Amino acid sequence: MAKMDIKMNDDGFLVRLSKLAEKTDDVAKLALKEGAQVVYAKVKSNLASVSGKGTKYPSRSTGELINALGISPVKVDKNGNYNIKIGFAEPRKNKYKAKKKRSYYNITNAMLANILEYGKSGQPPKPFLKSAVRATQNSCMQTIKAKFDSIVKEK
């Protein structure tokens, strides 16, 4: 999750912000959504590149994890900070059959993503999330700033 702190010591920024008046909330939401799209695209491409690849046994990848990836709506927390998250929708549609028992068990999308990211016994990690966040940090911030500036110029 990205966090942006704005320091109010720039007079030019205060002038631009005052032009927005009551539309500040809408502008913040639009800017965050634009920035989230940058990170979302990179996470999705990284996930597609590691999903079902380099496995010891034939892959059981169905593409459901990639399809469950999404962006949450922008929400305001108790401190007044705007938050947007990229994550996986639940529940999974398919169930896995246990190896030694004749029963089925549920594996959540978050659990599968965690296994891919950090690995497990006998399965090396295939980090897709951390690398995407690192790779898009600067471009995400630039996208948010550009969106904010373009909206302020319109007003």
Side-chain angles (χ1 to χ4, degrees):
M1 179 169 62
K3 182 178 179 182
M4 180 171 68
D5 292 327
I6 300 174
K7 309 236 188 281
M8 297 295 183
N9 59 0
D10 182 12
D11 291 332
F13 177 75
L14 290 175
V15 170
R16 290 184 289 166
L17 192 59
S18 67
K19 288 181 183 178
L20 298 177
E22 68 279 349
K23 296 187 179 193
T24 305
D25 292 342
D26 296 333
V27 171
K29 289 178 182 179
L30 287 172
L32 280 175
K33 286 178 184 178
E34 286 285 321
Q37 286 295 330
V38 172
V39 179
Y40 170 78
K42 185 65 173 173
V43 170
K44 190 167 187 170
S45 71
N46 284 1
L47 180 58
S49 69
V50 301
S51 185
K53 307 287 190 299
T55 58
K56 193 175 190 181
Y57 301 104
S59 174
R60 297 185 300 181
S61 178
T62 62
E64 188 174 351
L65 186 63
I66 296 170
N67 294 334
L69 186 66
I71 302 173
S72 74
V74 178
K75 294 185 180 178
V76 181
D77 67 8
K78 64 182 179 181
N79 298 324
N81 299 320
Y82 290 90
N83 296 310
I84 191 166
K85 298 177 182 177
I86 298 170
F88 298 95
E90 298 292 349
R92 287 185 63 82
K93 293 179 181 117
N94 61 355
K95 296 181 179 185
Y96 291 96
K97 191 171 185 177
K99 288 183 179 177
K100 295 183 180 179
K101 299 177 184 174
R102 293 186 179 175
S103 62
Y104 289 91
Y105 59 95
N106 290 326
I107 293 180
T108 64
N109 287 322
M111 186 186 300
L112 280 178
N114 190 35
I115 290 170
L116 276 175
E117 182 77 17
Y118 299 105
K120 66 177 187 172
S121 178
Q123 181 176 336
K126 299 176 187 174
F128 66 94
L129 191 58
K130 282 184 182 180
S131 59
V133 170
R134 263 189 255 114
T136 59
Q137 188 172 6
N138 290 333
S139 60
C140 176
M141 293 303 290
Q142 294 302 322
T143 303
I144 290 171
K145 287 177 187 178
K147 183 66 173 179
F148 177 78
D149 288 339
S150 70
I151 292 172
V152 170
K153 286 178 184 177
E154 290 175 5
K155 305 294 179 202

